[in-house]
Amino acid sequence: MAPSYASPATGLPSQMALHTGRAVFTEAYALIPRGVMRDIVTSYLPHWRQTRLWVIARPLSGFAETFSQYVVEVLPGGGSERPEENPQAEGVLFVVEGAIELTIGSDRHRLEAGGYAFLPPGTQWTLTNSSTGPARFHWVRKRYEAVEGIEVPPAFVANERNEPIRWMPDTGDTWGTTRFVDPDDVRHDMHVNIVTLEPGAVIPFEETHVMEHGLYVLEGKAVYRLNRDWVEVEAGDFMWLRAFCPQACYAGPERFRYLLYKDVNRHAKLPF
């Protein structure tokens, strides 16, 4: 089954559209539905040409503090020779529409839909859209937590079409994860994976853990447990969870997939 990838809608709703929706920000989670990611809420970045972005997560004190996440749209001819100004920031790019030319050092890569790149801190990279249509990709950023005696992982590129789904045990191959980094590789302090649930599959318990999450729904729909609430989510929605927010899921009638961020493999920060 060929994967599909949702991304924000263009334009604005009709003036006759009802002013009701699913957007909510609580003490434990936020839900940003696809219908509110419109042109009017886009932002721009220094040193980027013909580019706009939807900022769907940023560090907020007392909520989720480890990462930011953008959906970036680059028009033909656009891009940047100075994309990342923070030398301590690592990043993951995941392409959902069109194609980009990514240069890492002296190596050039073409990333199409499903393309994935890990960019360690201090990497010299550039990005352009040399195609004839717009390109869209997720950009997840985190301040890398260096550890003495542990080397920084190298940059790499991949495509999810070439990576297996690793099914959870005892689920009949209905709930699994496409991993781009070995979970045992402690050089990495964040994972950005793709979670897949086949029609009717479930996450059968309320996961409650220290990792913060960003979940962008790539395709399908589901009913998702977020803290005390069961909420309907669909392709193009974003769920933003602070640490220890309970979560579970019932997938809908079609394959349900989401791009998942979580922080991993580091000591908890102490206030002294």
Side-chain angles (χ1 to χ4, degrees):
M1 180 184 300
S4 64
Y5 307 98
S7 61
T10 57
L12 294 173
S14 164
Q15 289 286 292
M16 296 304 292
L18 295 179
H19 195 277
T20 56
R22 295 172 293 121
V24 64
F25 195 106
T26 75
E27 77 282 0
Y29 73 90
L31 172 62
I32 306 177
R34 62 178 299 171
V36 304
M37 298 185 209
R38 298 287 184 159
D39 294 358
I40 199 171
V41 298
T42 54
S43 300
Y44 300 87
L45 290 175
H47 308 302
W48 282 79
R49 307 177 309 278
Q50 296 289 95
T51 299
R52 63 178 183 171
L53 60 151
W54 289 263
V55 179
I56 55 177
R58 54 163 290 182
L60 290 179
S61 180
F63 188 69
E65 302 179 348
T66 62
F67 76 109
S68 67
Q69 186 164 345
Y70 312 147
V71 184
V72 183
E73 179 184 79
V74 183
L75 298 181
S80 178
E81 283 69 51
R82 297 175 58 183
E84 176 59 79
E85 293 290 294
N86 187 341
Q88 296 179 310
E90 61 186 325
V92 163
L93 310 181
F94 182 76
V95 180
V96 294
E97 183 179 331
I100 58 173
E101 300 289 337
L102 176 68
T103 299
I104 304 173
S106 60
D107 298 327
R108 176 171 292 186
H109 308 273
R110 178 179 172 85
L111 273 62
E112 300 179 344
Y116 182 107
F118 171 72
L119 303 164
T123 299
Q124 298 300 310
W125 60 282
T126 64
L127 186 149
T128 58
N129 178 1
S130 57
S131 69
T132 58
R136 287 182 172 182
F137 59 91
H138 286 259
W139 183 5
V140 179
R141 300 169 66 243
K142 181 183 183 297
R143 181 173 179 169
Y144 183 72
E145 297 181 52
V147 176
E148 184 179 357
I150 303 294
E151 65 181 8
V152 176
F156 68 87
V157 298
N159 192 294
E160 74 140 324
R161 298 168 192 260
N162 302 321
E163 303 296 329
I165 299 175
R166 302 186 184 279
W167 300 106
M168 298 290 284
D170 303 320
T171 65
D173 293 354
T174 60
W175 168 29
T177 302
T178 304
R179 301 185 186 277
F180 298 92
V181 170
D182 187 335
D184 295 331
D185 186 347
V186 297
R187 296 177 301 173
H188 288 273
D189 66 351
M190 74 168 176
H191 290 166
V192 180
N193 301 323
I194 297 173
V195 175
T196 297
L197 288 95
E198 298 293 352
V202 302
I203 298 176
F205 68 105
E206 295 180 349
E207 295 186 39
T208 307
H209 51 61
V210 69
M211 288 86 79
E212 297 176 350
H213 274 345
L215 298 86
Y216 188 91
V217 182
L218 297 171
E219 62 178 299
K221 72 171 187 175
V223 180
Y224 220 94
R225 177 65 180 249
L226 299 169
N227 199 21
R228 304 179 185 89
D229 308 317
W230 287 98
V231 299
E232 283 190 292
V233 295
E234 63 178 346
D237 289 353
F238 180 68
M239 292 170 277
W240 185 12
L241 282 59
R242 69 181 299 175
F244 301 107
C245 176
Q247 57 184 287
C249 179
Y250 286 88
E254 298 179 353
R255 174 176 272 197
F256 177 66
R257 302 194 318 135
Y258 53 84
L259 187 70
L260 172 69
Y261 161 88
K262 60 181 177 181
D263 51 308
V264 296
N265 298 340
R266 292 297 183 267
H267 278 295
K269 291 183 173 62
L270 302 178
F272 51 82

